Amino acid sequence: MPIDLTFGLAIALPLLVALALFLTTPGFGTGYFHPPTTSPLTRATLVCPGSLGSGDHTGVGSAGSGDVTAEEQGGSQSVTVPAGGVGTVSAGKDPVVITASGAAAPGLVATRFSTKPVAAASCARPRSDQWFTGLGAGPTHDSHVVLVNPNPGQAIADLTVLGDTGPIDVPALRGIAVPGHSSQEIDLGAVMPTQSALALHAVVERGQVAVAVRDQAAHLVGNHVDEDWLPAQTRPARRALLLGLSSGSGNRQLTVANPSDREVTATVRLVSSNSVFTPDNAPTLDIGPQSVARVDIGKLLESAGSEGVLGVQVVATGVVTSSLRSVVGGDVSLIARSQHSRTASSAIVPTGTKQLIVGGAPRVGALTVVARAADGRQLSSQRVAISPRQALKVSLPNGAVRVDVTPERTAFRGSVLVSLHDGDAVVPLSRLQVTTRVPFVKPGLPR
């Protein structure tokens, strides 16, 4: 039976076209989507917020060694980072953009400190989405939002505010334009004065912006103001572990924000070196949709059953963000949920009395804690066992300015509590980014 010419062409022509594309088009016939590849990090940028007072300096470390560039308004400088050590940036009061390339880029980490007031801020990579919880916009508790654009082009950011009764409409916080290589600072007490507990959701719509929050505690008697930096949280979660409680008695405001459209209930637990437990007088917070709740847990932390407590855990029926603000002896210190890490993490810290506080292990494992001097010399090395449902306190040498923590068979969260003569500051550990993901680009088909 002869084959119909039309039927034969209907079969042969697609095969001929496919063969021609296979021979002339690179990549034709392979899967259209490919996972990104991993390659060593060759360039990294961190943004440090501005100075809070006197005794200010910025420490920079890296997984390698080399020179980094530190830029602020009006000039730049080159800083040498020794292997395993810390370089010092001589900066003024403005925010500083730190850029590293080559061997100094992998594992870039930096912290900005102030001794009067005692304050610390981890220098952060620009993020497109993050949360700040526990802000204020009143006469005794006010917060300033600092936005820094490290690139030459204009960037656009939107700031959404949640209060104790729901979202707060603030037109001045929408569509904020930040010109290239510049910064803006917004006083929440000036644009939206309120006594409500607040949470802030910062979303970058265009370009890159690093966002930081400067938190103020004003004392009406004596006209004294103390400040510190409020850490960011990358995303809401059902559990939050807050590590690094300052010593002494005072006002301790725990703030929990519910970004969802359903009511959430949050319970408070305390974490010690032996257990995670819920005291009889622990508060329970019922938080409405897209709302914020605040409670003072100062008396809870000062009770007899709370001796040896190293942190606070918030467990909620839905995803939340949270922070703890302590005002002890006139000094304000702030802690939020620190990063969860399965790999090496580091913190740059000032000289003086300090302790590493770690917890949040999902399984039994070990941590190797190495403290180093500015020139990279190893001052101490400790290997400690860690288990679920506990936190650990590890004392560090006074002269240490860099702390490296490497986990084995587990993950962890951690912060360094720095205690100076006038107060405390908390420096969260940062995961060391040593690689980057490169997307697959496939040639298009000819037209």
Side-chain angles (χ1 to χ4, degrees), residues 56-60 70 72 75-79 87-93 96 112:
D56 178 86
H57 71 282
T58 301
V60 184
E72 64 175 327
S76 65
Q77 59 184 291
S78 180
V79 177
T88 301
V89 177
S90 300
K93 291 187 173 298
V96 177
R112 189 157 193 174

Side-chain angles (χ1 to χ4, degrees), residues 293-313:
R294 180 174 57 192
V295 62
D296 188 351
I297 60 171
K299 291 184 178 179
L300 176 67
L301 294 175
E302 295 167 18
S303 61
S306 301
E307 288 187 24
V309 169
L310 301 175
V312 175
Q313 186 181 59

Side-chain angles (χ1 to χ4, degrees), residues 357-373:
I357 313 296
V358 291
R363 61 184 62 86
V364 175
L367 304 175
T368 299
V369 181
V370 177
R372 299 183 183 274

Side-chain angles (χ1 to χ4, degrees), residues 1-285:
M1 177 181 178
I3 298 176
D4 182 75
L5 179 62
T6 304
F7 179 75
L9 290 175
I11 295 175
L13 284 178
L15 293 176
L16 291 174
V17 171
L19 179 62
L21 288 173
F22 179 78
L23 294 175
T24 60
T25 305
F28 181 81
T30 62
Y32 189 81
F33 294 105
H34 289 258
T37 58
T38 300
S39 64
L41 189 68
T42 58
R43 184 177 176 83
T45 298
L46 297 177
V47 179
C48 309
S51 171
L52 291 184
S54 61
D56 178 86
H57 71 282
T58 301
V60 184
S62 170
S65 63
D67 293 337
V68 302
T69 301
E71 297 179 273
E72 64 175 327
Q73 196 75 22
S76 65
Q77 59 184 291
S78 180
V79 177
T80 300
V81 178
V86 175
T88 301
V89 177
S90 300
K93 291 187 173 298
D94 294 323
V96 177
V97 178
I98 298 173
T99 305
S101 58
L108 185 68
V109 61
T111 306
R112 189 157 193 174
F113 313 102
S114 173
T115 56
K116 289 188 178 182
V118 179
S122 295
C123 304
R125 295 175 180 82
R127 295 183 180 275
S128 60
D129 191 317
Q130 57 190 322
W131 287 85
F132 297 87
T133 306
L135 300 86
T140 59
H141 178 198
D142 191 17
S143 299
H144 293 234
V145 183
V146 181
L147 303 99
V148 183
N149 179 359
N151 300 318
Q154 179 177 267
I156 305 294
D158 280 330
L159 306 180
T160 303
V161 181
L162 304 182
D164 51 17
T165 59
I168 301 176
D169 184 24
V170 189
L173 301 182
R174 295 196 298 268
I176 303 171
V178 187
H181 295 307
S182 68
S183 63
Q184 288 196 26
E185 183 169 330
I186 301 171
D187 181 359
L188 293 185
V191 300
M192 49 162 299
T194 178
Q195 296 287 353
S196 171
L198 303 175
L200 180 76
H201 186 201
V203 177
V204 180
E205 301 291 349
R206 188 174 76 190
Q208 285 189 322
V209 175
V211 184
V213 172
R214 180 161 60 93
D215 197 76
Q216 294 182 332
H219 306 275
L220 299 181
V221 178
N223 198 28
H224 171 69
V225 176
D226 197 89
E227 299 177 301
D228 207 336
W229 296 99
L230 175 64
Q233 184 172 326
T234 54
R235 60 180 180 272
R238 289 179 177 268
R239 292 173 179 263
L241 181 59
L242 313 178
L243 297 171
L245 298 177
S246 57
S247 59
S249 60
N251 182 277
R252 299 181 186 269
Q253 297 288 335
L254 176 67
T255 305
V256 183
N258 171 20
S260 73
D261 294 328
R262 298 181 178 181
E263 182 173 306
V264 167
T265 299
T267 57
V268 178
R269 301 175 181 176
L270 302 183
V271 186
S272 70
S273 59
N274 298 318
S275 64
V276 178
F277 61 97
T278 304
D280 293 336
N281 56 341
T284 298
L285 292 82

